[in-house]
Amino acid sequence: MSAPQNFKNHARFDPKFHFFTVPLALLCFLASILHVWKQQTPANVLLVPVTIVLFMTVGIARGYALQVQDRLIRLEESLRMERLGISHAGLTIRQFVALRFASDAELPALTERARTEKLSSKQIKEAIVNWRADYDRV
């Protein structure tokens, strides 16, 4: 790891997804449109919806993986909050995901603020003083 994780550098890219899979799927889609433009054969016409499905499948698979990660984070943070005696009733999943970066010491007050003020995940992360890094999320 290079620099310690904080609000400014916590967002991550998955090179296999962001720099290979998505661009390649987009390139296939654009190439299929070019083929139809140059020569309208039944195979070229069929290639467009096939590449649309490919591109959508890539996005849907990524979305499902992020949903699972969010649910696991909610479970982990619920257990942490219970251990610390903090009520997590009324929090959204996005708030749970943001609160995972808060230290144990600041979690009770920040959780209450998030619930009562309906803070967004960005607002929660900006309010964190002692950042608790999460290097596992992709």
Side-chain angles (χ1 to χ4, degrees):
M1 301 286 145
S2 51
Q5 193 181 74
N6 57 46
F7 176 73
K8 291 183 177 149
N9 70 4
H10 77 285
R12 301 211 15 224
F13 287 103
D14 178 10
K16 295 179 298 261
F17 177 78
H18 290 101
F19 304 123
F20 179 73
T21 306
V22 170
L24 190 58
L26 183 59
L27 183 65
C28 288
F29 171 65
L30 295 175
S32 72
I33 290 173
L34 182 64
H35 281 291
V36 167
W37 181 268
K38 287 187 173 193
Q39 186 177 15
Q40 278 194 345
T41 66
N44 286 349
V45 170
L46 181 61
L47 198 56
V48 173
V50 168
T51 58
I52 289 171
V53 168
L54 170 72
F55 196 69
M56 288 178 62
T57 302
V58 166
I60 290 168
R62 175 70 175 170
Y64 288 163
L66 291 176
Q67 272 185 313
V68 170
Q69 287 186 56
D70 288 349
R71 292 182 67 187
L72 284 171
I73 290 168
R74 181 179 60 193
L75 174 62
E76 290 171 345
E77 291 307 303
S78 294
L79 293 171
R80 180 167 78 125
M81 289 176 182
E82 286 177 16
R83 180 177 49 83
L84 296 171
I86 304 167
S87 170
H88 51 79
L91 293 174
T92 67
I93 197 159
R94 301 304 313 150
Q95 288 172 321
F96 273 106
V97 170
L99 285 166
R100 80 185 185 276
F101 296 113
S103 66
D104 287 353
E106 63 187 319
L107 187 60
L110 194 51
T111 300
E112 189 56 34
R113 271 193 66 206
R115 182 182 11 260
T116 57
E117 298 175 29
K118 300 194 183 330
L119 298 178
S120 69
S121 61
K122 182 179 179 189
Q123 291 170 318
I124 292 169
K125 290 185 254 185
E126 288 173 335
I128 295 171
V129 176
N130 297 312
W131 195 268
R132 185 174 158 254
D134 178 4
Y135 296 107
D136 295 326
R137 175 107 183 213
V138 182

